[in-house]
Amino acid sequence: MSQAAWIPFDPDIVRKTQAHTAQMTRWDEILTLPVQNPTTLEFSAADIMWSMVEGWRDSMDRLALIPYSRVNDFVRGESNNKDCPTKFHVEARRRRSPTMNCKPKVDGILEYILYWCSFGPDDYRKGGSVRPSRPFSQKRKTPAGRPNTKRGCNCHFIVKRLIAEPSVALVIYNHNKHVDKKGMPCHGPMDKMAVGTKAMFAPYISDELRLQVMSLLYVGIPVETIMQRHTEMVEKQGGPSNRDDLLTHRFVRRLERKIRRSVYELDDDDAVSINTWVETHQDQIFFYEDFSNTDTFALGVQTDWQLQQMIQYGNRSLLVSDSRFGTNKLKYPVHSILVFDEQKNAIPVAWIITPNFAHGEIYRWMGALYDRAHTKDPTWQLGGFIIDDPLADVRTIREIFKCPVLISLWRIRHAWHKNLVNKCSDIVKRSAMAGRLGDIIFSICRGDGGVELFEAFLQDFIDCTDFLDYFRALWIPRLGAWTTVLKATPLATAEVASAIESYHHLLKLRLLNEADENVYQRADWLVHKLGTKVHSYYWLDEYSGKDNFSRYWRSEWNSGPNPWRQGLKIPDSDVSVEDNCARVVSQKNKGKSHLVLNPGSDFALCDCSWSRRGNLCKHSIKSTKVCRDRGLVQPSLALFRYYQALASLVRCPPSDTLISDHAMAVAVSVRRQLDTLLCASPANPPNGPAFPASQFASRPRESEIEEDNTENGVSASQSHAASGNDEENVRIDQDSPTCKRKSGKASGENEELSTDKDSPTSKKRKSGEASDDEGTSVVQGMQPPETSSQATEGTDGSA
Ligand SMILES: [Zn+2]
Ligand SMILES: [Zn+2]
């Protein structure tokens, strides 16, 4: 926030009176203070530079400006004070009503909030004073423990939101020590009287423990079990050492009752109900437009925890859009935004709910999503955004997140694979078709051909009518858009595809398991379930203590690494490759093995149950890796596109030598990391023999530059000269478009795509897509028992 954003003084006001002038000087000082925005998720007074400004009655106040959106982070940080843990509560709040019309004053206040340490201001200790206006301690028999914890603490601060700059909060710390009226410590480790009592610790349990208990309760773990595990944990560590260790039965029971009594249907009318929900869940919403605004409704849900995950795992990393979930079952399909944790498991960091027809209008909410992360951490920057829909508004995404956009093939791969299994019983023919589809996609990505390749496919497999009917009806109308996107957009890796697939599968198990399917028609049910039960499962996925509850493991619980990780764990010796198939020894039963057809292709088919349901199984993943390591197949499409980009960078380096050097350094370092990752075995050189010759063109030059950079330090002129020399050695295709033109072309194509959305054909496409999901969601949703058993089999790696 720049100082220029402040509204200048009204000279009229300044000229008023002497007394006023003194106060004005004070405001003058205040308004020149910088707005401080620490990049940590929460921050305390210690993280801020405080200014001393003369306050009322000659006292000195400590002042600071912070963004208004971060007041809660400050309150949390102050509560988690290591020396004196507490909680700050709102003791008083005043809001200016929007209609109130008053003179424009420089110190006009929109909102005034007084935060007080929860061990004060009253004092219920022996001989302490209680404000006469609060005589409730005598009246109530069970005062929920709260008034008794009051120990006369004087620590408090004020937050003011100014009319002049509503995005900024002025924090005034009047009293920053946790002491009573006599100036003595009145709670925490410094208070001798508090030793051995609850006053040693914070007055309430932490938000983290609360979320943990809520999550366990939501997924159906009984109060008794939660308490038992908790007590065991505290005993193990040798007694209570903080407030959280003092968790009580009563507290957990109260939460359980609250959950049990909560209902999703707040009104018969779904729209009214949603409105009410939105009003009471403001902190979980980053975007809302009801039907009255634009005729379509859009609701963006993001809890505080999800925002934290987005900031933590999205920073300099990937955000993935899973654009449609439940199109066939739900009245309002779910659009998920995902990040990946260290294990490369997907965590949903936002859910957007819109009617089917509003699909694709991401520009409406995407900015709000970005702003939310960015206000919390101004340095937050995305590394890449992955889409799964060729009609996605790539330009908007690029503009908002300022990062490259990639596309994932998982939807195509999953749908074709699954339908081949269901609609083509002849295994040999099935694998031939899958292999052919894989080759076609590969050719399109390489720029060798377009939609016409599919025409030939239809001709060659004309006798497999079931699959061809499906393919013609659902895919032919959409292949144009896919072809355009595949040619213009870099591809996400199969690892990403596998992680999205697992997310999609888990969400099905966690969300679409209702006995009464009528609820699927209501938006209030959907937001309620996502925000409570489903959210809890994803929270627990990341919770290290979940293993303590193993006897409650069910298919909805994510267990262990995803198929990609499992695949990489299979030893090479368990894989044998011959002709067009691979045998992979089952990891659970070493006497058994699985047959993978088309190993090395994106359309490998395995005979395990997970693969037969259209998924990328660990056996296919492992056999593909083995084939690539041995140079039996071409490198992955993602890697191919990466080398392609690298080659084009080499051919036409940016005009600015500094940028050019930097880009080279980055490219070389990424490449090295990739090589280490993908080709760990020394027997397999980074580029297998099957690697297309054109790609090698750039190699010698990279090593030259690498040497320049590492041995002589980064030297702009040297690298530049190197690239100059090399252009001749490389035999560049002079007709190839320059970088600039190339990117222009790419965005031109995207433009076509986005306008295409409004055309009548695109509507057809959308409805086609909707029914496509039919095959995916219905079967699994309708057969929970079978699904569950298969799910565990698939994810935790039986087979
Ligand atoms: Zn205090
Ligand atoms: Zn398999």
Side-chain angles (χ1 to χ4, degrees):
M1 188 84 38
S2 75
Q3 287 303 307
W6 287 95
I7 294 172
F9 291 147
D10 181 342
D12 253 15
I13 303 172
V14 182
R15 261 186 260 115
K16 285 263 164 89
T17 61
Q18 279 263 303
H20 227 108
T21 318
Q23 204 194 332
M24 252 26 281
T25 333
R26 186 174 160 236
W27 275 104
D28 197 11
E29 286 173 47
I30 292 168
L31 295 175
T32 54
L33 296 175
V35 179
Q36 300 178 64
N37 193 5
T39 53
T40 40
L41 283 177
E42 59 180 42
F43 59 96
S44 70
D47 303 314
I48 287 183
M49 296 282 292
W50 293 89
S51 310
M52 306 298 280
V53 176
E54 202 175 316
W56 299 106
R57 295 182 214 142
D58 296 332
S59 69
M60 295 297 278
D61 280 335
R62 289 150 54 88
L63 303 184
L65 297 180
I66 61 170
Y68 184 77
S69 58
R70 304 215 56 200
V71 168
N72 282 338
D73 299 334
F74 175 70
V75 174
R76 256 206 303 269
E78 273 302 273
S79 298
N80 292 338
N81 185 331
K82 279 212 178 64
D83 298 328
C84 202
T86 181
K87 189 118 189 174
F88 280 86
H89 67 270
V90 175
E91 180 71 18
R93 184 196 288 264
R94 252 178 285 137
R95 258 196 208 107
R96 212 175 79 101
S97 75
T99 49
M100 214 164 96
N101 207 1
C102 65
K103 252 193 256 170
K105 283 198 298 182
V106 66
D107 57 346
I109 291 164
L110 274 179
E111 195 164 3
Y112 163 101
I113 314 168
L114 171 62
Y115 287 92
W116 210 289
C117 169
S118 291
F119 286 105
D122 292 328
D123 191 351
Y124 285 92
R125 295 175 302 181
K126 220 174 182 181
S129 64
V130 179
R131 286 164 297 174
S133 56
R134 316 264 164 128
F136 54 78
S137 70
Q138 275 87 34
K139 282 183 191 164
R140 281 196 208 162
K141 270 188 182 163
T142 50
R146 201 177 306 174
N148 291 328
T149 67
K150 303 272 180 202
R151 302 169 69 86
C153 186
N154 245 330
C155 188
H156 66 277
F157 59 89
I158 292 164
V159 169
K160 287 181 179 178
R161 191 179 194 180
L162 305 167
I163 294 173
E165 185 54 75
S167 65
V168 166
L170 169 64
V171 183
I172 308 170
Y173 230 129
N174 307 104
H175 209 298
N176 66 343
K177 299 242 165 21
H178 291 280
V179 293
D180 58 17
K181 268 193 190 138
K182 290 177 195 149
M184 299 299 288
C186 54
H187 61 95
M190 295 296 285
D191 177 12
K192 290 199 181 76
M193 300 300 287
V195 173
T197 72
K198 286 182 183 176
M200 279 275 285
F201 313 118
Y204 305 105
I205 65 164
S206 65
D207 295 340
E208 289 73 31
L209 183 61
R210 196 186 142 88
L211 194 54
Q212 177 191 319
V213 172
M214 290 287 271
S215 300
L216 290 168
L217 289 170
Y218 270 126
V219 304
I221 291 178
V223 177
E224 293 308 316
T225 313
I226 295 175
M227 283 316 295
Q228 199 185 329
R229 296 288 180 277
H230 182 80
T231 317
E232 284 165 13
M233 190 269 294
V234 173
E235 273 168 12
K236 217 164 132 191
Q237 67 172 31
S241 66
N242 61 49
R243 178 61 187 85
D244 282 353
D245 294 343
L246 301 173
L247 182 74
T248 59
H249 253 97
R250 188 165 72 163
F251 180 82
V252 180
R253 259 201 311 274
R254 219 183 318 140
L255 286 183
E256 190 271 335
R257 204 181 315 129
K258 200 176 144 193
I259 290 173
R260 194 164 14 96
R261 289 179 184 169
S262 74
V263 285
Y264 67 82
E265 203 174 297
L266 305 170
D267 192 280
D268 284 346
D269 181 345
D270 195 25
V272 176
S273 184
I274 271 287
N275 264 324
T276 316
W277 186 89
V278 166
E279 270 166 33
T280 50
H281 292 79
Q282 282 296 324
D283 52 335
Q284 295 184 20
I285 291 161
F286 69 91
F287 181 85
Y288 180 55
E289 269 178 14
D290 65 11
F291 276 105
S292 56
N293 288 345
T294 49
D295 290 340
T296 68
F297 129 99
L299 176 61
V301 178
Q302 183 179 55
T303 66
D304 226 41
W305 177 75
Q306 288 180 308
L307 174 59
Q308 283 171 24
Q309 307 304 301
M310 174 166 154
I311 290 173
Q312 185 186 343
Y313 292 116
N315 196 21
R316 325 238 163 242
S317 190
L318 297 169
L319 218 55
V320 180
S321 152
D322 176 25
S323 60
R324 289 183 303 281
F325 173 84
T327 18
N328 190 54
K329 287 206 144 187
L330 299 169
K331 184 169 179 195
Y332 303 105
V334 181
H335 186 146
S336 312
I337 302 293
L338 315 172
V339 293
F340 299 117
D341 66 8
E342 288 99 352
Q343 309 303 313
K344 294 287 177 288
N345 284 320
I347 308 172
V349 294
W351 287 300
I352 300 92
I353 296 153
T354 47
N356 240 328
F357 58 85
H359 172 69
E361 296 183 357
I362 54 170
Y363 62 89
R364 288 168 66 198
W365 49 263
M366 200 156 267
L369 183 67
Y370 173 81
D371 288 345
R372 207 161 127 112
H374 209 250
T375 33
K376 267 233 158 144
D377 181 357
T379 63
W380 190 81
Q381 172 67 49
L382 203 58
F385 193 102
I386 298 177
I387 52 170
D388 66 344
D389 175 1
L391 301 176
D393 186 350
V394 174
R395 196 201 261 183
T396 299
I397 300 172
R398 263 200 216 120
E399 269 169 19
I400 291 174
F401 287 100
K402 297 171 192 71
C403 71
V405 175
L406 295 88
I407 187 150
S408 170
L409 274 176
W410 89 271
R411 267 183 199 281
I412 283 195
R413 210 210 62 78
H414 182 87
W416 293 356
H417 181 165
K418 192 184 160 91
N419 281 283
L420 274 171
V421 175
N422 291 342
K423 294 184 165 57
C424 180
S425 49
D426 180 344
I427 294 174
V428 178
K429 185 162 279 172
R430 188 196 290 166
S431 91
M433 288 168 93
R436 178 72 168 276
L437 286 169
D439 291 345
I440 292 176
I441 293 288
F442 199 90
S443 299
I444 291 173
C445 288
R446 291 179 52 140
D448 306 337
V451 190
E452 73 282 353
L453 296 173
F454 291 104
E455 293 299 334
F457 166 79
L458 294 178
Q459 288 301 317
D460 291 352
F461 294 95
I462 201 142
D463 49 341
C464 194
T465 45
D466 279 1
F467 182 77
L468 289 201
D469 286 350
Y470 154 81
F471 196 82
R472 272 203 196 90
L474 283 179
W475 289 96
I476 290 294
R478 286 192 264 162
L479 289 174
W482 271 104
T483 308
T484 316
V485 142
L486 289 180
K487 282 181 175 171
T489 315
L491 275 185
T493 59
E495 181 177 15
V496 165
S498 165
I500 306 177
E501 202 168 70
S502 298
Y503 166 76
H504 214 77
H505 172 76
L506 265 180
L507 185 59
K508 229 169 262 172
L509 295 181
R510 292 170 175 186
L511 182 65
L512 301 179
N513 51 11
E514 297 288 326
D516 173 15
E517 298 212 350
N518 289 325
V519 295
Y520 296 153
Q521 294 307 306
R522 292 190 66 107
D524 57 359
W525 165 81
L526 185 58
V527 289
H528 179 83
K529 183 143 184 190
L530 283 174
T532 57
K533 234 180 163 156
V534 176
H535 184 271
S536 297
Y537 278 119
Y538 286 104
W539 189 90
L540 289 165
D541 285 348
E542 303 297 307
Y543 166 53
S544 56
K546 67 173 175 171
D547 293 347
N548 296 336
F549 299 91
S550 53
R551 89 182 156 105
Y552 292 93
W553 274 25
R554 289 197 307 198
S555 53
E556 289 95 335
W557 284 56
N558 190 355
S559 43
N562 62 32
W564 179 272
R565 294 254 150 169
Q566 293 171 32
L568 295 190
K569 275 188 196 148
I570 299 176
D572 280 10
S573 53
D574 279 357
V575 184
S576 60
V577 185
E578 52 208 65
D579 296 334
N580 190 29
C581 64
R583 281 225 163 257
V584 183
V585 174
S586 162
Q587 297 302 295
K588 268 203 176 154
N589 177 0
K590 292 274 183 182
K592 268 175 67 183
S593 73
H594 290 283
L595 181 68
V596 181
L597 300 170
N598 304 332
S601 157
D602 278 327
F603 286 81
L605 306 175
C606 174
D607 60 6
C608 72
S609 63
W610 184 243
S611 175
R612 272 190 274 115
R613 296 164 72 219
N615 299 306
L616 206 53
C617 74
K618 57 184 174 183
H619 314 109
S620 313
I621 288 164
K622 180 62 193 185
S623 53
T624 295
K625 184 173 184 310
V626 168
C627 287
R628 285 196 184 129
D629 285 353
R630 295 185 189 165
L632 302 173
V633 292
Q634 292 176 313
S636 77
L637 279 171
L639 194 63
F640 175 85
R641 294 303 288 263
Y642 168 73
Y643 280 119
Q644 218 174 22
L646 205 64
S648 80
L649 178 72
V650 171
R651 279 195 212 112
C652 31
S655 54
D656 185 317
T657 52
L658 193 68
I659 295 174
S660 164
D661 274 2
H662 180 70
M664 280 300 170
V666 170
V668 168
S669 119
V670 170
R671 196 210 137 109
R672 205 184 292 139
Q673 287 175 33
L674 263 177
D675 286 349
T676 339
L677 266 176
L678 294 164
C679 311
S681 151
N684 307 305
N687 296 306
F691 200 79
S694 62
Q695 259 43 65
F696 284 103
S698 60
R699 293 207 64 222
R701 198 171 151 270
E702 283 159 33
S703 25
E704 264 177 57
I705 291 161
E706 200 173 333
E707 274 162 31
D708 277 351
N709 289 344
T710 47
E711 286 176 23
N712 310 329
V714 178
S715 149
S717 55
Q718 271 172 346
S719 319
H720 198 59
S723 45
N725 289 340
D726 223 67
E727 274 180 14
E728 284 146 43
N729 302 340
V730 171
R731 294 193 314 273
I732 352 146
D733 178 6
Q734 292 297 334
D735 295 326
S736 74
T738 65
C739 277
K740 235 180 175 174
R741 254 187 274 144
K742 202 179 168 196
S743 66
K745 189 183 152 215
S747 57
E749 276 159 1
N750 295 329
E751 217 175 307
E752 266 172 50
L753 282 178
S754 40
T755 39
D756 195 34
K757 269 188 322 212
D758 302 319
S759 72
T761 45
S762 72
K763 271 197 184 127
K764 233 189 263 166
R765 270 182 210 147
K766 276 174 213 156
S767 59
E769 273 160 14
S771 42
D772 162 53
D773 234 15
E774 191 172 309
T776 341
S777 52
V778 174
V779 183
Q780 288 158 4
M782 280 168 63
Q783 304 164 345
E786 190 206 277
T787 314
S788 335
S789 63
Q790 282 185 349
T792 6
E793 223 177 88
T795 24
D796 75 12
S798 76

